[in-house]
Each structure stands twice: as structure tokens, then as C-alpha cells.
Amino acid sequence: MNENVQLLLDSVVPLAVGAVTGTIPLALASFALGLALALVVALMRLSKNRVVSGIARFYVSVIRGTPLLVQLFVIFYGMPSIGITIDPWPSAIAAFSLNVGGYAAEIIRAAILSVPKGQWEAAYTIGMSPATTLRRVILPQAARVSVPPLSNTFISLVKDTSLASLILVTEMFRVAQQIAAFSTEFMLVYLEAALLYWIICLALSGGQARLEKRLDRYVAH
Amino acid sequence: MSPTDHAAPAEAATLLTARGIRKSFGDHEVLRGIDFSVRRGDVVTLIGPSGSGKTTVLRALNGLETPDGGELAFDGGPTIDFSRPVSKGDRIAMRDRSAMVFQHHNLFPHMTVLENVVEGPIRVQRVPKAEAIAAAEALLDRVGLAEKRDQYPFQLSGGQQQRVGIVRALALKPDLLLFDEPTSALDPELVGEVLHVIKELADEGWTMVVVTHELAFARQAADEVLFMDGGVIVERGAPRDIFTNPREERTRRFLDRILRPLD
């Protein structure tokens, strides 16, 4: 028993380092890039141009219709076959961003559509361009609606980054695998990793609640 | 705050002329050739049954609807021929001439009252911030909402929201104010405070086109009443002529229905 406690204590620091230098930056970078991509794809989906919206629709369909692990492997293990070799980290960020882009695009599209048409009209009649209307009037209102589903996407992403261990990215789960293999205490180490993921996600849920409250300040309750 | 450039000469100049405005939605022809003009300082009211096309006319005046044909000419420009595609420049120029007050106010819910009012002047017209805020505060004070400046629209009553909607339009200093059934969505006891503000603006000399079901308002405030039905202007004239002496059968029937609903 004593040895187990010692192992837990010894492993928590490397696991936390794995989270801080691997899991968290990987999730943050992928989410930021994925959101930017999602906004572009959402606007493309809403375009009246059939070709533009078709491209966006195709992208979303491919991303949602294929496993994330397969996407990750295509980029890291597949691309070298056609002469493009990408390092583990950029591969992971690319795969996760593309994945978030597909899912979040649908969330953002729905959120934009949820803003009443009268808001576009009011902005138009005070002389705003479509781009300004989107930035000043539509997206701030769409943001409120999309925080809960986007939070889900982000929390899923944090956990999905564990897949990056399979393409040699040293994030928290890869560290856990190494410790487990070395100590052979698989149950203990993997439960410890699970606990750390859970703590990160709890913190994110707390952040979500605060953000929702802040964005709800202009809505009647 | 009276619109000084509206100071009407003895023979008021025409601000806006609409000729042969036509519009269809799919197979349904909502406007079948609308002709009218608005003189500076005049209040023109559009009345008529639902579906008569009066709101579509109003929305065409600032580009929320694009007619399929006809012409819209503003004194001082632009003149737009709808048989051709409307250029972006013309669209912007047309929008600059007017401001709209909506039936459902369409205030920006995520902005405070003051932010709603200064958004257009600051973001679009590039008025210096301090100047825009001072002007907005003066306008809010006029309609009795100075102390509401930092509240969000949801914290106001329907009548207050609509008064903010009017102030947002006024802050743009348009040549023409457009009102789309500004009191139809309000509880009956709140209608008066909004009509009162509109009447005051009319008395000050603002040029306006008002789509309304409030016949008493049309009677008191309008210089000209246009009665629309089935996509055409059936009858037009001074309110006392239209209301006491309608020449057309359709006008008479409409007025009867509104004024004596139980007969």
C-alpha cells in the first residue's frame, strides 16, 4: 500500500507536466484554430453561392463521418506516403483543428440562424455593412447561444487529445503509459490520469458557467 | 433638435418620388405600380388592410425590399431604376436618406439603450464618440428616457423600447423617417406614449412615411393619407377628405370595418 501511495505521489508531477506542456496547449491551440476555421465554414455554409456552400457541406460531412483517430493517422502516417511528412505536434494540431472545425461549424451556423432576421434589418437600416453587422450585432448574440454546445466540443477535445499519444506526442496520457509500463501498476496510473482529466474538465465546466452568466446579462430571466 | 435643413419654403420641395413601383413574391404580385411623392416636412400615412402591400412599399423606400420595377427618386439623389440591378453605391446612398422604426423595435438586445442609439452614428457615420453620446443623451432626454441610458432593452416596457427605436432612427439625422406599424405590437395602454412622440416629431417638421392602423393618428397628424388595397393605391388625399368623404367603395368598406367593427 505504501508503495502505491509513493507511486501516486511520484507520478503526479510528470503527469501534471504532461498536462501543462502537452494536453492543455494542444487543446487550446486546436480549439482556437478550429473555431476560426468553423466560423469560415459556417459562413460558407450560409452562402447563397451553391459551390461555396457545397464545399463547406462536403467538409463537414467528411469530418463528422470519419473517426478522429483515422483523421489523425491519415495526417501523420498517411501523408508521408505522398511525400508530405509532418511532425507529431503539427499533425496533432492539424487533425484536432480540422475536427473541431467541422463540428463547431454546425454549432455556429445554427447560432447565427437563431438571431432574428429583424436584427440584420435593423443593422442594415442604420447603414451597417454585412461584415460589420456580423461582427457587431449577429455574432455577439450568436455567441450566447453557442457557448453551451461549444463548451461540449472543447471538453470533448481535451479528452480526445489523449489520442495524440498514438502519434508520439508527449501529452499527459503518453506520460501515463510510460509510467504504467515501467511500474506495471496499470490500474493505479490510468485511474490517476483519469482523475486528472476529470479535474481539468471540471475547471472548464466552471469556466463555462461563468461565461454563460456573463453573456446572459442582457436577457430577461 | 428640429431638423433645420427641413425648414420648408412656402412651396415645399419634393423629397421623394416613387413611380410605378412593382414587386412580386413568387407568383404573388404584392405591388402593382405604386406612384406617390413626399414633400419635405410632410407626414404621409399608408393605411389599408393586411396584405395590401403598405409595409412592402415602406421597406422598398430604404432598400429592405428591392422592387422588380419602377423608379425611386430622392431630391439630391440617388435616383434608382429598379428595372436594372441596384448598384451597391445607390443602395448605400438610398439608405443614408432614411431611417426605419420597426413594428417590433428590433433594438440590439446585447447593447444598452445608449449603445443602441450611438451605434449608427459612431460605427457608420464616424461621428466622434463624445459628440455622438451627447446627441444621444439629448434625444433620450427628449423622449423622457434619459435615466434609462445604461439599461438593456429587456429592462424596458414595450412603449419605452419603441421610443428608443425612434431615438435610434433620429440619431442618424435622416431626411426621411419611416415607421412600420410602430404601435401594432404594443399593449393598448402603451400606444399613446409612442404616438405622442411621433406626433411631436411631425409637428417639428420631420418628413415621415407612416404605415399605421391608428386611424385617429392618421387623421390628426397626416398631411396626406394613402389608402392601399391589393397592391395599388386606391385613394389618396387629405385626411379629412379620406375619412369623412371617401370616394371609393373599397375605402369606405375598410373604414367601416375599422371604425364600426360590430355593425
Side-chain angles (χ1 to χ4, degrees):
Chain A
M1 192 65 213
N2 216 359
E3 278 175 28
N4 286 345
V5 174
Q6 196 57 47
L7 177 62
L8 278 179
L9 291 176
D10 287 346
S11 56
V12 76
V13 170
L15 285 175
V17 169
V20 171
T21 62
T23 302
I24 292 170
L26 188 54
L28 283 177
S30 304
F31 193 67
L33 289 171
L35 266 192
L37 179 64
L39 179 59
V40 173
V41 174
L43 295 176
M44 286 173 68
R45 276 277 264 139
L46 294 168
S47 164
K48 287 195 185 94
N49 184 321
R50 288 248 185 97
V51 177
V52 171
S53 71
I55 292 170
R57 198 188 300 265
F58 175 74
Y59 164 72
V60 171
S61 174
V62 168
I63 292 295
R64 295 209 299 186
T66 57
L68 174 55
L69 186 57
V70 174
Q71 295 163 15
L72 199 60
F73 274 35
V74 166
I75 289 174
F76 185 68
Y77 293 114
M79 298 292 256
S81 325
I82 56 167
I84 304 169
T85 304
I86 311 173
D87 285 344
W89 263 88
S91 291
I93 289 178
F96 292 134
S97 305
L98 287 168
N99 193 264
V100 167
Y103 283 94
E106 289 297 281
I107 293 170
I108 292 172
R109 183 178 73 98
I112 288 174
L113 289 175
S114 78
V115 178
K117 190 163 149 262
Q119 292 291 305
W120 287 96
E121 293 188 345
Y124 179 89
T125 60
I126 69 172
M128 279 188 183
S129 67
T132 307
T133 303
L134 197 64
R135 192 167 49 83
R136 298 282 307 168
V137 176
I138 305 301
L139 289 181
Q141 295 181 64
R144 195 182 73 80
V145 186
S146 57
V147 164
L150 285 179
S151 300
N152 277 342
T153 305
F154 187 45
I155 286 171
S156 295
L157 172 65
V158 167
K159 295 175 296 177
D160 287 344
T161 56
S162 58
L163 294 173
S165 63
L166 297 169
I167 61 164
L168 316 176
V169 172
T170 312
E171 44 63 70
M172 183 164 69
F173 191 65
R174 189 166 169 81
V175 176
Q177 284 178 308
Q178 289 162 350
I179 297 171
F182 185 74
S183 68
T184 69
E185 290 290 348
F186 294 99
M187 186 63 160
L188 195 69
V189 176
Y190 288 152
L191 279 181
E192 187 179 17
L195 181 67
L196 288 174
Y197 277 111
W198 189 26
I199 290 171
I200 295 172
C201 290
L202 278 178
L204 289 175
S205 299
Q208 174 190 350
R210 282 177 47 187
L211 188 58
E212 279 178 32
K213 195 166 170 225
R214 201 179 116 69
L215 290 172
D216 264 2
R217 71 193 181 283
Y218 59 81
V219 183
H221 294 288
Chain B
M1 74 137 274
S2 174
T4 47
D5 55 335
H6 293 189
E11 189 56 37
T14 301
L15 173 63
L16 167 70
T17 307
R19 288 186 206 94
I21 300 290
R22 287 182 295 103
K23 174 76 180 172
S24 298
F25 293 116
D27 290 340
H28 182 51
E29 199 176 4
V30 278
L31 301 180
R32 304 160 182 260
I34 300 289
D35 300 87
F36 68 97
S37 59
V38 181
R39 287 173 306 175
R40 281 184 190 274
D42 269 9
V43 174
V44 174
T45 59
L46 284 167
I47 63 169
S50 312
S52 58
K54 52 196 193 304
T55 287
T56 308
V57 169
L58 192 77
R59 289 165 60 86
L61 297 184
N62 78 344
L64 284 177
E65 303 288 355
T66 306
D68 305 324
E71 187 186 81
L72 212 50
F74 285 89
D75 176 39
T79 295
I80 299 170
D81 175 358
F82 291 107
S83 62
R84 290 193 292 265
V86 181
S87 75
K88 201 174 161 197
D90 274 353
R91 218 174 262 284
I92 292 169
M94 174 166 62
R95 235 165 28 177
D96 282 348
R97 303 302 302 267
S98 65
M100 177 82 106
V101 176
F102 296 88
Q103 182 178 358
H104 297 282
H105 66 75
N106 292 353
L107 294 176
F108 304 130
H110 59 300
M111 298 183 191
T112 63
V113 165
L114 185 72
E115 287 166 350
N116 263 281
V117 177
V118 299
E119 183 70 11
I122 292 176
R123 298 280 158 184
V124 179
Q125 300 180 335
R126 304 288 169 195
V127 175
K129 203 169 165 189
E131 193 181 311
I133 290 175
E137 283 174 334
L139 286 171
L140 287 170
D141 191 38
R142 263 214 51 182
V143 300
L145 294 174
E147 81 282 10
K148 302 287 186 191
R149 52 165 273 172
D150 295 322
Q151 306 229 307
Y152 286 99
F154 83 91
Q155 295 168 304
L156 309 181
S157 72
Q160 291 170 337
Q161 289 168 341
Q162 196 56 294
R163 281 185 279 158
V164 176
I166 293 170
V167 167
R168 179 170 69 176
L170 292 177
L172 297 166
K173 303 198 176 102
D175 294 312
L176 176 64
L177 285 169
L178 307 172
F179 292 86
D180 183 13
E181 302 193 19
T183 59
S184 299
L186 297 177
D187 291 335
E189 76 274 18
L190 302 176
V191 167
E193 66 187 59
V194 173
L195 290 181
H196 186 73
V197 170
I198 301 174
K199 177 73 167 66
E200 271 183 15
L201 296 171
D203 293 344
E204 272 173 25
W206 285 85
T207 313
M208 52 179 83
V209 178
V210 186
V211 171
T212 187
H213 291 298
E214 297 290 337
L215 299 189
F217 170 79
R219 191 192 282 262
Q220 281 182 42
D223 295 293
E224 185 175 28
V225 176
L226 308 180
F227 170 68
M228 283 186 70
D229 193 12
V232 294
I233 296 175
V234 174
E235 187 166 355
R236 68 186 81 205
R240 63 174 181 283
D241 296 331
I242 297 270
F243 290 117
T244 52
N245 249 327
R247 290 187 307 274
E248 299 288 331
E249 181 56 27
R250 275 197 279 181
T251 316
R252 205 167 303 142
R253 278 206 309 269
F254 171 75
L255 293 173
D256 274 352
R257 272 202 309 276
I258 302 258
L259 299 172
R260 285 180 287 280
L262 298 179
D263 288 2

PDB file of all heavy atoms in Angstrom, chain A residues 124, chain B residues 59-65 67 72 74 77-78 80 82 86 89-98:
ATOM      1  N   TYR A 124     -28.918  46.914 -41.037  1.00  0.00           N
ATOM      2  CA  TYR A 124     -28.887  47.383 -42.422  1.00  0.00           C
ATOM      3  C   TYR A 124     -29.430  48.813 -42.497  1.00  0.00           C
ATOM      4  O   TYR A 124     -28.837  49.677 -43.141  1.00  0.00           O
ATOM      5  CB  TYR A 124     -29.733  46.439 -43.269  1.00  0.00           C
ATOM      6  CG  TYR A 124     -29.810  46.805 -44.717  1.00  0.00           C
ATOM      7  CD1 TYR A 124     -28.871  46.319 -45.625  1.00  0.00           C
ATOM      8  CD2 TYR A 124     -30.827  47.633 -45.200  1.00  0.00           C
ATOM      9  CE1 TYR A 124     -28.947  46.651 -46.967  1.00  0.00           C
ATOM     10  CE2 TYR A 124     -30.907  47.970 -46.533  1.00  0.00           C
ATOM     11  CZ  TYR A 124     -29.967  47.480 -47.417  1.00  0.00           C
ATOM     12  OH  TYR A 124     -30.037  47.826 -48.737  1.00  0.00           O
TER      13      TYR A 124
ATOM     14  N   ARG B  59     -40.771  49.363 -46.897  1.00  0.00           N
ATOM     15  CA  ARG B  59     -39.474  48.679 -46.876  1.00  0.00           C
ATOM     16  C   ARG B  59     -38.686  48.919 -48.160  1.00  0.00           C
ATOM     17  O   ARG B  59     -37.455  48.901 -48.147  1.00  0.00           O
ATOM     18  CB  ARG B  59     -39.684  47.178 -46.631  1.00  0.00           C
ATOM     19  CG  ARG B  59     -40.138  46.879 -45.197  1.00  0.00           C
ATOM     20  CD  ARG B  59     -40.700  45.461 -45.062  1.00  0.00           C
ATOM     21  NE  ARG B  59     -39.729  44.440 -45.413  1.00  0.00           N
ATOM     22  CZ  ARG B  59     -38.831  43.936 -44.575  1.00  0.00           C
ATOM     23  NH1 ARG B  59     -38.784  44.353 -43.332  1.00  0.00           N
ATOM     24  NH2 ARG B  59     -37.983  43.023 -44.971  1.00  0.00           N
ATOM     25  N   ALA B  60     -39.403  49.140 -49.249  1.00  0.00           N
ATOM     26  CA  ALA B  60     -38.704  49.433 -50.508  1.00  0.00           C
ATOM     27  C   ALA B  60     -38.012  50.790 -50.436  1.00  0.00           C
ATOM     28  O   ALA B  60     -36.995  51.011 -51.093  1.00  0.00           O
ATOM     29  CB  ALA B  60     -39.690  49.402 -51.675  1.00  0.00           C
ATOM     30  N   LEU B  61     -38.565  51.700 -49.625  1.00  0.00           N
ATOM     31  CA  LEU B  61     -38.008  53.053 -49.574  1.00  0.00           C
ATOM     32  C   LEU B  61     -36.607  53.090 -48.991  1.00  0.00           C
ATOM     33  O   LEU B  61     -35.866  54.034 -49.218  1.00  0.00           O
ATOM     34  CB  LEU B  61     -38.927  53.991 -48.772  1.00  0.00           C
ATOM     35  CG  LEU B  61     -40.324  54.217 -49.348  1.00  0.00           C
ATOM     36  CD1 LEU B  61     -41.082  55.238 -48.513  1.00  0.00           C
ATOM     37  CD2 LEU B  61     -40.239  54.697 -50.800  1.00  0.00           C
ATOM     38  N   ASN B  62     -36.230  52.106 -48.176  1.00  0.00           N
ATOM     39  CA  ASN B  62     -34.836  52.124 -47.723  1.00  0.00           C
ATOM     40  C   ASN B  62     -34.103  50.812 -48.005  1.00  0.00           C
ATOM     41  O   ASN B  62     -33.134  50.471 -47.348  1.00  0.00           O
ATOM     42  CB  ASN B  62     -34.700  52.553 -46.261  1.00  0.00           C
ATOM     43  CG  ASN B  62     -35.055  51.443 -45.308  1.00  0.00           C
ATOM     44  OD1 ASN B  62     -35.678  50.475 -45.703  1.00  0.00           O
ATOM     45  ND2 ASN B  62     -34.637  51.578 -44.073  1.00  0.00           N
ATOM     46  N   GLY B  63     -34.599  50.113 -49.013  1.00  0.00           N
ATOM     47  CA  GLY B  63     -33.802  49.005 -49.540  1.00  0.00           C
ATOM     48  C   GLY B  63     -33.944  47.683 -48.818  1.00  0.00           C
ATOM     49  O   GLY B  63     -33.213  46.759 -49.099  1.00  0.00           O
ATOM     50  N   LEU B  64     -34.901  47.582 -47.874  1.00  0.00           N
ATOM     51  CA  LEU B  64     -35.105  46.276 -47.245  1.00  0.00           C
ATOM     52  C   LEU B  64     -35.813  45.329 -48.211  1.00  0.00           C
ATOM     53  O   LEU B  64     -35.725  44.115 -48.069  1.00  0.00           O
ATOM     54  CB  LEU B  64     -35.922  46.409 -45.958  1.00  0.00           C
ATOM     55  CG  LEU B  64     -35.168  46.958 -44.755  1.00  0.00           C
ATOM     56  CD1 LEU B  64     -36.100  47.104 -43.558  1.00  0.00           C
ATOM     57  CD2 LEU B  64     -33.995  46.076 -44.390  1.00  0.00           C
ATOM     58  N   GLU B  65     -36.544  45.906 -49.177  1.00  0.00           N
ATOM     59  CA  GLU B  65     -37.068  45.113 -50.291  1.00  0.00           C
ATOM     60  C   GLU B  65     -36.582  45.779 -51.566  1.00  0.00           C
ATOM     61  O   GLU B  65     -36.477  47.007 -51.626  1.00  0.00           O
ATOM     62  CB  GLU B  65     -38.611  45.109 -50.310  1.00  0.00           C
ATOM     63  CG  GLU B  65     -39.280  44.606 -49.058  1.00  0.00           C
ATOM     64  CD  GLU B  65     -39.157  43.103 -48.862  1.00  0.00           C
ATOM     65  OE1 GLU B  65     -38.630  42.424 -49.763  1.00  0.00           O
ATOM     66  OE2 GLU B  65     -39.582  42.627 -47.798  1.00  0.00           O
ATOM     67  N   PRO B  67     -37.667  46.381 -55.271  1.00  0.00           N
ATOM     68  CA  PRO B  67     -38.767  46.221 -56.237  1.00  0.00           C
ATOM     69  C   PRO B  67     -38.272  45.594 -57.537  1.00  0.00           C
ATOM     70  O   PRO B  67     -37.092  45.609 -57.848  1.00  0.00           O
ATOM     71  CB  PRO B  67     -39.238  47.660 -56.468  1.00  0.00           C
ATOM     72  CG  PRO B  67     -38.811  48.395 -55.239  1.00  0.00           C
ATOM     73  CD  PRO B  67     -37.511  47.773 -54.830  1.00  0.00           C
ATOM     74  N   LEU B  72     -37.360  55.150 -58.012  1.00  0.00           N
ATOM     75  CA  LEU B  72     -37.399  55.889 -56.759  1.00  0.00           C
ATOM     76  C   LEU B  72     -36.407  57.035 -56.904  1.00  0.00           C
ATOM     77  O   LEU B  72     -35.237  56.798 -57.218  1.00  0.00           O
ATOM     78  CB  LEU B  72     -36.956  54.943 -55.629  1.00  0.00           C
ATOM     79  CG  LEU B  72     -37.519  55.095 -54.235  1.00  0.00           C
ATOM     80  CD1 LEU B  72     -39.040  55.173 -54.260  1.00  0.00           C
ATOM     81  CD2 LEU B  72     -37.072  53.918 -53.385  1.00  0.00           C
ATOM     82  N   PHE B  74     -34.836  60.388 -55.051  1.00  0.00           N
ATOM     83  CA  PHE B  74     -34.683  61.273 -53.905  1.00  0.00           C
ATOM     84  C   PHE B  74     -34.160  62.617 -54.401  1.00  0.00           C
ATOM     85  O   PHE B  74     -33.246  62.642 -55.233  1.00  0.00           O
ATOM     86  CB  PHE B  74     -33.678  60.697 -52.904  1.00  0.00           C
ATOM     87  CG  PHE B  74     -34.212  59.553 -52.098  1.00  0.00           C
ATOM     88  CD1 PHE B  74     -34.090  58.252 -52.563  1.00  0.00           C
ATOM     89  CD2 PHE B  74     -34.835  59.772 -50.880  1.00  0.00           C
ATOM     90  CE1 PHE B  74     -34.575  57.188 -51.830  1.00  0.00           C
ATOM     91  CE2 PHE B  74     -35.316  58.711 -50.133  1.00  0.00           C
ATOM     92  CZ  PHE B  74     -35.190  57.424 -50.604  1.00  0.00           C
ATOM     93  N   GLY B  77     -30.541  63.050 -54.847  1.00  0.00           N
ATOM     94  CA  GLY B  77     -30.005  61.724 -55.154  1.00  0.00           C
ATOM     95  C   GLY B  77     -30.178  60.725 -54.041  1.00  0.00           C
ATOM     96  O   GLY B  77     -30.381  61.115 -52.901  1.00  0.00           O
ATOM     97  N   PRO B  78     -30.153  59.460 -54.309  1.00  0.00           N
ATOM     98  CA  PRO B  78     -29.989  58.885 -55.657  1.00  0.00           C
ATOM     99  C   PRO B  78     -31.330  58.729 -56.369  1.00  0.00           C
ATOM    100  O   PRO B  78     -32.385  58.879 -55.764  1.00  0.00           O
ATOM    101  CB  PRO B  78     -29.436  57.490 -55.345  1.00  0.00           C
ATOM    102  CG  PRO B  78     -30.112  57.131 -54.055  1.00  0.00           C
ATOM    103  CD  PRO B  78     -30.260  58.418 -53.281  1.00  0.00           C
ATOM    104  N   ILE B  80     -33.096  55.761 -58.506  1.00  0.00           N
ATOM    105  CA  ILE B  80     -32.850  54.340 -58.734  1.00  0.00           C
ATOM    106  C   ILE B  80     -33.917  53.764 -59.658  1.00  0.00           C
ATOM    107  O   ILE B  80     -35.115  53.891 -59.397  1.00  0.00           O
ATOM    108  CB  ILE B  80     -32.837  53.571 -57.393  1.00  0.00           C
ATOM    109  CG1 ILE B  80     -31.709  54.121 -56.516  1.00  0.00           C
ATOM    110  CG2 ILE B  80     -32.630  52.085 -57.635  1.00  0.00           C
ATOM    111  CD1 ILE B  80     -31.748  53.630 -55.110  1.00  0.00           C
ATOM    112  N   PHE B  82     -35.419  50.473 -60.911  1.00  0.00           N
ATOM    113  CA  PHE B  82     -35.414  49.080 -60.456  1.00  0.00           C
ATOM    114  C   PHE B  82     -35.513  48.059 -61.590  1.00  0.00           C
ATOM    115  O   PHE B  82     -35.497  46.864 -61.335  1.00  0.00           O
ATOM    116  CB  PHE B  82     -36.538  48.852 -59.435  1.00  0.00           C
ATOM    117  CG  PHE B  82     -36.289  49.547 -58.128  1.00  0.00           C
ATOM    118  CD1 PHE B  82     -37.011  50.669 -57.775  1.00  0.00           C
ATOM    119  CD2 PHE B  82     -35.299  49.076 -57.271  1.00  0.00           C
ATOM    120  CE1 PHE B  82     -36.764  51.318 -56.574  1.00  0.00           C
ATOM    121  CE2 PHE B  82     -35.051  49.715 -56.067  1.00  0.00           C
ATOM    122  CZ  PHE B  82     -35.781  50.848 -55.725  1.00  0.00           C
ATOM    123  N   VAL B  86     -29.654  47.060 -58.777  1.00  0.00           N
ATOM    124  CA  VAL B  86     -29.315  48.246 -57.985  1.00  0.00           C
ATOM    125  C   VAL B  86     -27.845  48.174 -57.594  1.00  0.00           C
ATOM    126  O   VAL B  86     -27.386  47.165 -57.048  1.00  0.00           O
ATOM    127  CB  VAL B  86     -30.195  48.321 -56.722  1.00  0.00           C
ATOM    128  CG1 VAL B  86     -29.863  49.562 -55.919  1.00  0.00           C
ATOM    129  CG2 VAL B  86     -31.672  48.307 -57.101  1.00  0.00           C
ATOM    130  N   GLY B  89     -23.501  51.299 -54.488  1.00  0.00           N
ATOM    131  CA  GLY B  89     -23.425  52.724 -54.160  1.00  0.00           C
ATOM    132  C   GLY B  89     -24.811  53.334 -54.007  1.00  0.00           C
ATOM    133  O   GLY B  89     -25.065  54.099 -53.069  1.00  0.00           O
ATOM    134  N   ASP B  90     -25.715  52.993 -54.944  1.00  0.00           N
ATOM    135  CA  ASP B  90     -27.084  53.519 -54.874  1.00  0.00           C
ATOM    136  C   ASP B  90     -27.792  53.028 -53.624  1.00  0.00           C
ATOM    137  O   ASP B  90     -28.552  53.744 -52.981  1.00  0.00           O
ATOM    138  CB  ASP B  90     -27.875  53.061 -56.105  1.00  0.00           C
ATOM    139  CG  ASP B  90     -27.657  54.013 -57.277  1.00  0.00           C
ATOM    140  OD1 ASP B  90     -27.009  55.061 -57.071  1.00  0.00           O
ATOM    141  OD2 ASP B  90     -28.109  53.686 -58.390  1.00  0.00           O
ATOM    142  N   ARG B  91     -27.555  51.756 -53.304  1.00  0.00           N
ATOM    143  CA  ARG B  91     -28.172  51.164 -52.126  1.00  0.00           C
ATOM    144  C   ARG B  91     -27.743  51.921 -50.866  1.00  0.00           C
ATOM    145  O   ARG B  91     -28.560  52.258 -50.016  1.00  0.00           O
ATOM    146  CB  ARG B  91     -27.713  49.715 -52.019  1.00  0.00           C
ATOM    147  CG  ARG B  91     -28.752  48.759 -51.546  1.00  0.00           C
ATOM    148  CD  ARG B  91     -28.216  47.350 -51.624  1.00  0.00           C
ATOM    149  NE  ARG B  91     -28.645  46.674 -52.831  1.00  0.00           N
ATOM    150  CZ  ARG B  91     -29.872  46.196 -53.007  1.00  0.00           C
ATOM    151  NH1 ARG B  91     -30.771  46.331 -52.062  1.00  0.00           N
ATOM    152  NH2 ARG B  91     -30.200  45.593 -54.110  1.00  0.00           N
ATOM    153  N   ILE B  92     -26.444  52.182 -50.775  1.00  0.00           N
ATOM    154  CA  ILE B  92     -25.927  52.893 -49.605  1.00  0.00           C
ATOM    155  C   ILE B  92     -26.467  54.322 -49.578  1.00  0.00           C
ATOM    156  O   ILE B  92     -26.902  54.812 -48.539  1.00  0.00           O
ATOM    157  CB  ILE B  92     -24.377  52.878 -49.604  1.00  0.00           C
ATOM    158  CG1 ILE B  92     -23.891  51.448 -49.363  1.00  0.00           C
ATOM    159  CG2 ILE B  92     -23.825  53.839 -48.566  1.00  0.00           C
ATOM    160  CD1 ILE B  92     -22.409  51.249 -49.599  1.00  0.00           C
ATOM    161  N   ALA B  93     -26.491  54.950 -50.741  1.00  0.00           N
ATOM    162  CA  ALA B  93     -26.980  56.330 -50.815  1.00  0.00           C
ATOM    163  C   ALA B  93     -28.443  56.407 -50.402  1.00  0.00           C
ATOM    164  O   ALA B  93     -28.857  57.313 -49.678  1.00  0.00           O
ATOM    165  CB  ALA B  93     -26.789  56.874 -52.235  1.00  0.00           C
ATOM    166  N   MET B  94     -29.231  55.421 -50.840  1.00  0.00           N
ATOM    167  CA  MET B  94     -30.656  55.399 -50.510  1.00  0.00           C
ATOM    168  C   MET B  94     -30.864  55.224 -49.006  1.00  0.00           C
ATOM    169  O   MET B  94     -31.678  55.912 -48.387  1.00  0.00           O
ATOM    170  CB  MET B  94     -31.329  54.255 -51.276  1.00  0.00           C
ATOM    171  CG  MET B  94     -32.773  54.034 -50.896  1.00  0.00           C
ATOM    172  SD  MET B  94     -33.656  52.979 -52.064  1.00  0.00           S
ATOM    173  CE  MET B  94     -32.760  51.471 -51.939  1.00  0.00           C
ATOM    174  N   ARG B  95     -30.095  54.301 -48.444  1.00  0.00           N
ATOM    175  CA  ARG B  95     -30.177  54.037 -47.007  1.00  0.00           C
ATOM    176  C   ARG B  95     -29.820  55.258 -46.182  1.00  0.00           C
ATOM    177  O   ARG B  95     -30.387  55.499 -45.133  1.00  0.00           O
ATOM    178  CB  ARG B  95     -29.189  52.924 -46.677  1.00  0.00           C
ATOM    179  CG  ARG B  95     -29.757  51.773 -45.985  1.00  0.00           C
ATOM    180  CD  ARG B  95     -28.834  50.610 -46.017  1.00  0.00           C
ATOM    181  NE  ARG B  95     -27.420  50.960 -46.115  1.00  0.00           N
ATOM    182  CZ  ARG B  95     -26.443  50.077 -46.099  1.00  0.00           C
ATOM    183  NH1 ARG B  95     -26.729  48.814 -45.957  1.00  0.00           N
ATOM    184  NH2 ARG B  95     -25.204  50.445 -46.209  1.00  0.00           N
ATOM    185  N   ASP B  96     -28.853  56.026 -46.690  1.00  0.00           N
ATOM    186  CA  ASP B  96     -28.418  57.218 -45.967  1.00  0.00           C
ATOM    187  C   ASP B  96     -29.522  58.260 -45.834  1.00  0.00           C
ATOM    188  O   ASP B  96     -29.473  59.103 -44.951  1.00  0.00           O
ATOM    189  CB  ASP B  96     -27.226  57.877 -46.683  1.00  0.00           C
ATOM    190  CG  ASP B  96     -25.935  57.134 -46.417  1.00  0.00           C
ATOM    191  OD1 ASP B  96     -25.943  56.269 -45.519  1.00  0.00           O
ATOM    192  OD2 ASP B  96     -24.940  57.417 -47.089  1.00  0.00           O
ATOM    193  N   ARG B  97     -30.492  58.228 -46.742  1.00  0.00           N
ATOM    194  CA  ARG B  97     -31.514  59.269 -46.730  1.00  0.00           C
ATOM    195  C   ARG B  97     -32.591  59.009 -45.684  1.00  0.00           C
ATOM    196  O   ARG B  97     -33.295  59.930 -45.297  1.00  0.00           O
ATOM    197  CB  ARG B  97     -32.170  59.403 -48.120  1.00  0.00           C
ATOM    198  CG  ARG B  97     -31.208  59.704 -49.262  1.00  0.00           C
ATOM    199  CD  ARG B  97     -30.422  60.992 -49.042  1.00  0.00           C
ATOM    200  NE  ARG B  97     -31.222  62.165 -48.858  1.00  0.00           N
ATOM    201  CZ  ARG B  97     -31.586  63.000 -49.838  1.00  0.00           C
ATOM    202  NH1 ARG B  97     -31.188  62.776 -51.072  1.00  0.00           N
ATOM    203  NH2 ARG B  97     -32.321  64.059 -49.591  1.00  0.00           N
ATOM    204  N   SER B  98     -32.758  57.761 -45.280  1.00  0.00           N
ATOM    205  CA  SER B  98     -33.884  57.454 -44.399  1.00  0.00           C
ATOM    206  C   SER B  98     -33.460  56.609 -43.209  1.00  0.00           C
ATOM    207  O   SER B  98     -32.363  56.066 -43.173  1.00  0.00           O
ATOM    208  CB  SER B  98     -34.961  56.700 -45.190  1.00  0.00           C
ATOM    209  OG  SER B  98     -34.460  55.446 -45.607  1.00  0.00           O
TER     210      SER B  98
END
